[in-house]
Each structure stands twice: as structure tokens, then as C-alpha cells.
Amino acid sequence: MTIETLSLSTIGNVPPSTAGRIVTPALRRFFLDMPKVELHCHLLGAVRAETFAALAARHAAPISAADIRDYYTRGAKPVGVLRVLRALERHLLLEPDDFRRIAYEYLADAAAQNVRHAEFFWNPTATIRDTGLAYREVQAGILTGMRDAARDCGISSLLIPSIDREADPSEAVEMVELMIASRDPRVAGIGIDYRENDRPPEMFAEAYALARRAGLRATAHAGEFGMPWTNVATAVDVLGVDRVDHGYTIIDNPDLAADYAARGILFTVVPTNSYYLRTLDPDRWAADHPIRRMSELGLKLHPNTDDPTLHNVTPAGAWELMYSHFGYDLAELEAMMLNGVDGSWASEDRKRAWRAEWPALVRGLSQGLQVRDPG
């Protein structure tokens, strides 16, 4: 069997493996075919480049073709992802059908990677503020895309409206009130994202308390690079989240990490995160990433794409990176697959069926694979 290095078409321009893991064509097929859930993906970070260009033309957005090329280039000096997301909010997603389209396309792309179930984020605050659209009509557009993707592609999904932490905390409360007024079982809970700097999670405790009283689930971006571990602690022990998105700086408090490991709290990690955001040395980003230390501390992890089209990564590619760059073996990845099932907000009946079916599928796919390390 021919041994290949990582395919640029699969994982963008990520450099050769620091873990020394070889990825064969058969292994690459394994990562594609294994059943998956995705729990940490931003709808606006999953917009196809051609869709971005089409929406820009349709709405006469003040964005050039060169801008769009830069948005989707993850080179030595990539354009910041937040800039792209804000451009979408202000200039491109102006009608409910725009949201239907991008939701459908994201889920169709995920289903082609054998993602069986996706739980994805959408930030309503800027949309409502900048476009004048009503929350209810935008939610309806996204839910239509989800319904159509389930029919056409067989993928189930849940929507997670997410607090824009750069906005005022009162707007977070307003977002939750709008969710409650437009309640739908496919809108399962809330999250919080955008820049964590100077916007600690406790600022949004009122919105989380309201959501939990209404029976909504909760997650939160906390403890990304450079942000204190106390943000993770606040998210878990004050906001009462069911799982944590990123959470890397929990390694700075091993005792607390051990407590969260014992409590089975899931951390949805992103293997491309540090490389594309340049928070670690590009030559050592995988070796120095906190993900491995999180595993050593016993934490439950599950890998995700975050912003797949902007990070140049597919769901299969994210799992491949966990093997090739981070050094996890196939048994460890199978355990992470089940972590995702357990940490998802799908129905218990559906999760029970996945737990029963997926391990046998994975082991069948892995039979006969050549797993080789150099040297």
C-alpha cells in the first residue's frame, strides 16, 4: 500500500505531522466513513466560498472578489475569522432564505462526511440589530434548511442560538426571551461565543439562568488560548453548562480538571484552532497544543471543525488530524466518537441506538488497516 502524507485537499495547508503519523489512503477513507456527530460548528463559519460570492453579488455587498479570496485563504497571514463572520452578518445574510440556504448546505456537506447528527451555532443578536429581521423568521429559515437536509441527506440536527459576548449582557437576555417565545424542540439550548477577551462568562449569568429555568440546554466557549481557567470554572459551576467548547486552559488547574473528568463533562475541542489562529508557533502547534494534556488529565474530548470552510477542514479531516498530528490511536478515537454521542443533545433513544451500532461499524471499517509510524 502506498504511504501518503496529509492531503492538502483534505486538511487545507496544515504542515507535515509533528507526531510522525503516516496516513494511508485506506486510513483517510476510514476517517471519512466512520459515523460522527458534530457538536462545535458555527453556521457562518461553514458557508461555502461560492455561496459567499453569490450572496455578495445578490445583495450588492461592499466586498470585492479579492476580499472573498482572502477570507478563504488560510496562509501565513490568514484573515481573521471574526472579520468574515461580521461581514456575513452585516452585508450578506439579509433574508430568511439566505439562512435556509446556508443551513442546508452546511448539513449536506457534513452528511457527505458521514456526520449523522450536527448541533451548530447561530448568533441572532447582530442579525436582528443589523438587518431588521425578526428572530422568529430567521429561526424558521434555518429550521427549514434543517428539515430539508434531514429529508435529502439523512442527517439530524439541532440549532444552538449563541450569545454574542461582544454585545451588552441585556441583549443576551433578550435573545433567550426570543427563543422562549419562538420555542421549537429543534432549538435545544444556548451557547456563547465571539471574543472572550474582557468578556468573562459571569457577565451573562442572567441569560443562562433564564435559559435553564426554561428547560434549555447550555454550552459555552470558555478557556480558549490566553483566557484564564477561571472562565471554564465559571461556565461549568456558575452558568451550569452541559459541556464546554474549547476549554484548553483548564490544564492550568489540574485539580479542577480532575474534578471535571470525574463528573464526565465533555470538552468539544478543535484540532485546527491554534494553527489557523496562530496562537502557537506554526512549527510546534500540534506538539504544544493543550489537547493532549487534557487527555492525560482524564477529560472527555470530542474533536470538531469549528469553522470548516474558513479553517479549510472537513469533519473527516478533523478526526484525521487527531490521529496524524496529535497521536491518538484508533481505539482512543472510537472512545471520542462515543463521547460525542453521550454529550450530544439528541434524544436518549437515538443515542442508545448509536451507542449500540457505531462501535461495530468502526471496528468493521478498521479491519485490515495498515497503521504505520516511521522509524
Side-chain angles (χ1 to χ4, degrees):
M1 182 178 294
T2 302
I3 303 298
E4 295 182 351
T5 55
L6 284 168
S7 165
L8 296 185
S9 63
T10 303
I11 323 241
N13 55 352
V14 170
S17 171
T18 57
R21 267 295 163 70
I22 300 299
V23 178
T24 67
L27 271 168
R28 183 158 295 121
R29 186 74 203 183
F30 167 82
F31 294 119
L32 177 64
D33 289 344
M34 66 177 288
K36 314 169 188 69
V37 299
E38 179 148 88
L39 305 179
H40 184 159
C41 182
H42 301 272
L43 179 59
L44 272 61
V47 176
R48 297 171 181 171
E50 57 269 27
T51 298
F52 195 112
L55 291 171
R58 176 180 175 184
H59 295 304
I63 301 169
S64 69
D67 289 333
I68 298 172
R69 277 196 308 275
D70 288 344
Y71 289 167
Y72 286 87
T73 299
R74 301 289 98 185
K77 294 182 179 180
V79 174
V81 168
L82 295 185
R83 178 180 166 192
V84 185
L85 304 184
R86 292 305 192 193
L88 281 159
E89 289 171 338
R90 291 170 184 154
H91 303 300
L92 272 71
L93 299 170
L94 304 182
E95 300 173 10
D97 191 66
D98 298 336
F99 288 89
R100 178 207 59 78
R101 174 179 178 175
I102 64 171
Y104 180 89
E105 290 179 350
Y106 158 60
L107 292 168
D109 291 344
Q113 297 276 309
N114 216 23
V115 173
R116 307 286 185 86
H117 175 78
E119 299 176 6
F120 61 96
F121 300 109
W122 161 56
N123 295 86
T125 297
T127 294
I128 295 167
R129 180 188 64 228
D130 296 344
T131 69
L133 293 170
Y135 174 91
R136 184 182 296 273
E137 60 182 337
V138 180
Q139 176 178 286
I142 296 172
L143 293 178
T144 298
M146 293 162 59
R147 180 202 65 200
D148 292 350
R151 178 197 64 209
D152 296 344
C153 309
I155 183 172
S156 63
S157 59
L158 295 171
L159 177 62
I160 307 174
S162 197
I163 292 167
D164 182 343
R165 71 198 323 152
E166 296 179 6
D168 190 86
S170 65
E171 294 182 83
V173 174
E174 179 183 355
M175 185 199 85
V176 177
E177 291 172 341
L178 291 169
M179 290 176 64
I180 294 169
S182 304
R183 195 67 181 270
D184 187 285
R186 293 166 294 175
V187 185
I190 68 168
I192 185 170
D193 51 35
Y194 280 118
R195 290 187 315 111
E196 196 176 346
N197 311 62
D198 303 320
R199 308 294 287 177
E202 57 264 30
M203 292 177 64
F204 305 92
E206 182 181 354
Y208 272 84
L210 177 60
R212 298 320 297 258
R213 288 197 299 271
L216 292 165
R217 308 298 293 269
T219 186
H221 284 55
E224 268 195 274
F225 297 99
M227 298 297 103
W229 64 264
T230 51
N231 284 3
V232 181
T234 301
V236 174
D237 296 318
V238 177
L239 302 188
V241 299
D242 303 296
R243 61 186 188 234
V244 176
D245 304 310
H246 299 298
Y248 308 124
T249 54
I250 192 63
I251 66 172
D252 296 333
N253 189 330
D255 291 338
L256 187 62
D259 177 51
Y260 291 169
R263 290 159 63 178
I265 295 170
L266 180 66
F267 287 73
T268 64
V269 297
V270 179
T272 54
N273 179 256
S274 65
Y275 177 71
Y276 286 123
L277 298 184
R278 297 297 191 265
T279 54
L280 298 174
D281 186 327
D283 294 328
R284 291 190 52 83
W285 65 279
D288 294 340
H289 201 290
I291 283 177
R292 253 304 179 184
R293 179 61 179 147
M294 293 170 80
S295 288
E296 292 167 0
L297 290 167
L299 293 166
K300 293 180 69 172
L301 307 184
H302 180 260
N304 297 267
T305 60
D306 202 356
D307 298 292
T309 56
L310 298 179
H311 282 188
N312 282 352
V313 68
T314 61
W319 286 86
E320 183 177 320
L321 282 169
M322 295 294 281
Y323 172 84
S324 64
H325 282 55
F326 292 86
Y328 291 96
D329 62 30
L330 299 188
E332 290 171 315
L333 294 181
E334 180 184 326
M336 289 184 192
M337 175 191 73
L338 293 176
N339 289 345
V341 170
D342 292 340
S344 78
W345 298 340
S347 71
E348 287 303 320
D349 286 346
R350 181 166 285 178
K351 293 199 288 187
R352 192 176 302 113
W354 292 338
R355 291 189 203 103
E357 296 167 5
W358 289 9
L361 287 173
V362 167
R363 289 165 196 167
L365 290 169
S366 66
Q367 287 182 357
L369 285 177
Q370 291 188 15
V371 179
R372 294 175 50 185
D373 296 321

